[in-house]
Amino acid sequence: MDSSTHRHQFVRVTAASLAAAALALGGALVAAPAHAVGTTIDDAVFRWGLNAEANAAAFAPGTVNLLSAGIVTADSSADRVTATNWKQSDGNTRILKLQADGSYAAATFAGLRTDANGTTITTGNGLNSGHIAEIAGGTGTVDVDAGTAEIQWTGSFTSAFYSGMTRSWITDPKLTVASDGTGTVTATLGGYGTSMDDPDKFEALTPVANVVIATLTGVDVTPTGFTVTPDYLGRTVTLPAGSVAQVTTGSTAGAFPQSFVDFQIATGQGSYWYSSGGSADSRKPASALSVAYTAAPVASTPTVTVSKATGIAQGETVTVTGSGFLPSGTATNGVRPPLAGQFSGTYVVFGKFADTWQPSAGAASSARSVIAQKWAVPAASMATIGGAGSGAIELTADGTFSVDLALTTTEAQNLAAGRFGIYTYAGSGTVYAPFETFTPISFASSSDVIVEVPAWVDAPTGSFGWAFDGSSPASLGTAVQDGANFTASGTLTNIVVTDTRAGGTAPYTWSISGQVGDFASSAGDSFASDLLGWKPKVVTAGQSVAAGAEIASARLGGTGLGTSRVLASSTAAASATIGADLTLVIPGTTPAGDYTAKLTITALQ
């Protein structure tokens, strides 16, 4: 059946199942600690060799598949990449070659025909030249705690097959990594259109932006970068009529992302990027991709807070919390047992110290009259210093601690010189000035009448609610052909959020999400919900309201709306009007019909 003769009608998305609920602000909605602000970087290095086939000997006599820095242009398919126009470097981009010891060095034109050991690559021995493209100077943001990254590079490299009979290039790759370890690399693709059936065809292709050239899973964002092998094995693509069919069985069956393959079909390289049953299939899986950068954590100043610092009654318990007590190399290692040579944490002391008490100022221990003491150390060191019975408290990996201290003094201590306070300083003989803090405290006089008056809190008022600003949540109209796909677009009917809550002590926040079920027709045909994507938008709102992230169709390398995705959220009580632009991308082989799906909107408050 010729799909071009059929139009797909997507009449309406059915009314939402209102799974919204005014959830009680209890244990079910405890906010997680905020992640540290992402680190801005400007030194990221991108390295990728695409796959082994892009560096292998080609079947046309005397030709190879190769990488070149920059964009290597041509006038016809008879033009070749030669020592004259091949480039080892161009701007931020370099081509590097794998060496016998596993390192990389600047590539040479002659090295395009040998492997790391200097053996000439041939179609018979299956060796490849081991080249990668490196683009330096990437800029963006990395949040190691959240596991996210967004980095943009400026630079191009050319992938030429048969020494340039067919060629394409990748420009300005962009990496995006989500907190669940998934990610994409997008780029602008350019090249020349060729055809094995028409040797004379050679035409410049219009560059295509935001093409997904790699999808990633299992990315571990570290302070120095990561290496990951892009998805290929087990992935399938939809191909236009007349293309070499994909073979989906075998240990190396798979494909590069759909949008990347779509572009390469126009260059004549299509089947080099998915398994087609040929001898080259074992060389087609994606090669490892690496990203390196420096995302050193921002230095944090040690800080101590005390729940109550004045008018303290004898025997009253206060809570002492600290943050920023992080190790700093050998400077925070102990110099005497029990933590000699290890991170020694910090003492947390209630005492009466002299005006000059700090070890870093050379003060003797006699300047520090200790009344009660705890020792905050990593959990692994607590037993070493005697455990909780000896005053050990946990200093967490993020440099925080919390401890309750009952504050009691004697008459002699009251009369002695010095200042009462909560003090911290490095343990196990370490002298480290940043850990030396002092929080003054004072006790109530025996003649004082003590009463604690809390801050006035207004009674909670107002309410929260939402509704569609219309009778139908969305209509995608009639799908149209777009290459190998059908596409349809529309707009989610605006959702009006009314939030008049005020008073009380609870934080008034909200989040609205959406999820779509699978599409089905009256004829019994269906397609997956993740083929629908959206781009949320805030139509009107206060500064506390933010739109959710754009979610692309799975057909375009995204995750789609098959699972719940945030449409918008607010960090404070705020009314708003929110919406989204909808995009549906489905295979051209989808049977014709009128399809509907259920949209479920969920509101959390």
Side-chain angles (χ1 to χ4, degrees):
M1 178 176 66
D2 182 1
S3 61
S4 65
T5 63
H6 296 271
R7 303 179 119 188
H8 294 220
Q9 183 76 22
F10 301 93
V11 179
R12 183 175 295 122
V13 179
T14 60
S17 299
L18 304 184
L23 300 182
L25 293 174
L29 291 179
V30 175
H35 291 296
V37 176
T39 302
T40 300
I41 59 171
D42 58 9
D43 61 348
V45 177
F46 173 93
R47 284 185 169 187
W48 195 25
L50 300 179
N51 62 12
E53 182 63 9
N55 289 285
F59 285 97
T63 65
V64 293
N65 303 332
L66 58 90
L67 301 177
S68 173
I71 296 174
V72 184
T73 58
D75 295 321
S76 73
S77 60
D79 292 341
R80 299 289 183 267
V81 178
T82 66
T84 301
N85 58 11
W86 176 83
K87 290 179 280 189
Q88 190 274 325
S89 64
D90 182 85
N92 293 328
T93 306
R94 299 190 301 163
I95 302 300
L96 305 177
K97 182 179 177 66
L98 181 66
Q99 305 297 294
D101 63 0
S103 63
Y104 283 89
T108 64
F109 185 75
L112 299 175
R113 295 179 177 273
T114 63
D115 74 351
N117 296 309
T119 303
T120 300
I121 61 175
T122 68
T123 55
N125 62 23
L127 301 175
N128 71 85
S129 62
H131 286 83
I132 60 172
E134 177 189 89
I135 306 179
T139 60
T141 302
V142 172
D143 190 331
V144 176
D145 290 338
T148 60
E150 184 172 295
I151 305 174
Q152 176 73 63
W153 286 269
T154 300
S156 302
F157 64 94
T158 297
S159 170
F161 281 67
Y162 298 100
S163 293
M165 292 183 187
T166 172
R167 63 187 79 180
S168 62
W169 43 85
I170 293 173
T171 297
D172 299 345
K174 179 181 180 180
L175 167 74
T176 303
V177 180
S179 58
D180 62 359
T182 62
T184 60
V185 179
T186 58
T188 296
L189 299 189
Y192 296 103
T194 67
S195 171
M196 292 185 179
D197 298 327
D198 182 4
D200 295 327
K201 180 180 179 181
F202 195 83
E203 56 190 22
L205 298 174
T206 300
V208 179
N210 299 318
V211 176
V212 178
I213 63 174
T215 60
L216 313 175
T217 55
V219 179
D220 181 15
V221 176
T222 75
T224 57
F226 61 85
T227 298
V228 65
T229 299
D231 303 329
Y232 178 92
L233 298 177
R235 300 302 172 108
T236 60
V237 288
T238 301
L239 303 169
S243 299
V244 176
Q246 182 182 12
V247 173
T248 58
T249 58
S251 60
T252 58
F256 274 67
Q258 180 73 55
S259 56
F260 182 77
V261 172
D262 289 343
F263 183 86
Q264 295 299 345
I265 287 173
T267 70
Q269 297 181 13
S271 61
Y272 288 94
W273 306 103
Y274 61 86
S275 50
S276 57
S279 60
D281 275 7
S282 63
R283 299 190 294 272
K284 294 178 183 178
S287 300
L289 179 154
S290 71
V291 175
Y293 47 75
T294 301
V298 177
S300 178
T301 301
T303 302
V304 171
T305 59
V306 181
S307 60
K308 184 177 181 180
T310 61
I312 298 171
Q314 288 292 327
E316 186 172 356
T317 296
V318 298
T319 300
V320 181
T321 57
S323 63
F325 289 84
L326 296 167
S328 182
T330 58
T332 50
N333 284 352
V335 297
R336 63 177 182 235
L339 295 181
Q342 304 175 53
F343 176 47
S344 60
T346 184
Y347 296 133
V348 183
V349 174
F350 164 53
K352 198 170 193 182
F353 289 11
D355 288 346
T356 301
W357 62 270
Q358 298 90 338
S360 63
S365 60
S366 59
R368 299 182 287 276
S369 177
V370 174
I371 301 172
Q373 177 174 301
K374 301 293 184 180
W375 191 354
V377 295
S381 298
M382 290 177 67
T384 303
I385 66 172
S390 297
I393 61 172
E394 183 179 1
L395 179 59
T396 63
D398 63 1
T400 62
F401 66 81
S402 180
V403 62
D404 291 336
L405 295 178
L407 307 186
T408 301
T409 64
T410 66
E411 187 64 25
Q413 290 166 341
N414 293 336
L415 296 174
R419 296 178 296 175
F420 284 121
I422 302 297
Y423 296 84
T424 63
Y425 53 102
S428 222
T430 306
V431 177
Y432 186 62
F435 281 9
E436 297 170 354
T437 72
F438 164 53
T439 305
I441 61 173
S442 61
F443 289 86
S445 168
S446 58
S447 60
D448 289 344
V449 177
I450 302 172
V451 61
E452 181 175 350
V453 180
W456 180 265
V457 177
D458 292 327
T461 61
S463 62
F464 172 86
W466 66 271
F468 279 107
D469 189 18
S471 59
S472 174
S475 176
L476 298 177
T478 302
V480 297
Q481 288 183 228
D482 184 5
N485 301 317
F486 278 102
T487 63
S489 60
T491 301
L492 179 71
T493 299
N494 287 342
I495 292 176
V496 178
V497 178
T498 303
D499 189 357
T500 59
R501 295 172 295 171
T505 59
Y508 293 124
T509 63
W510 56 260
S511 174
I512 292 184
S513 304
Q515 178 178 354
V516 177
D518 289 344
F519 287 78
S521 71
S522 58
D525 298 310
S526 64
F527 55 82
S529 56
D530 62 5
L531 297 177
L532 178 67
W534 71 7
K535 183 176 182 179
K537 58 186 177 182
V538 175
V539 180
T540 60
Q543 292 183 349
S544 64
V545 181
E550 181 176 359
I551 304 297
S553 166
R555 191 78 174 163
L556 300 179
T559 56
L561 297 179
T563 57
S564 183
R565 303 295 180 182
V566 175
L567 177 63
S569 61
S570 177
T571 57
S575 297
T577 300
I578 57 179
D581 296 324
L582 305 174
T583 302
L584 180 70
V585 183
I586 61 175
T589 56
T590 304
D594 294 342
Y595 290 77
T596 60
K598 178 182 286 186
L599 169 64
T600 301
I601 298 295
T602 303
L604 298 178
Q605 48 154 319

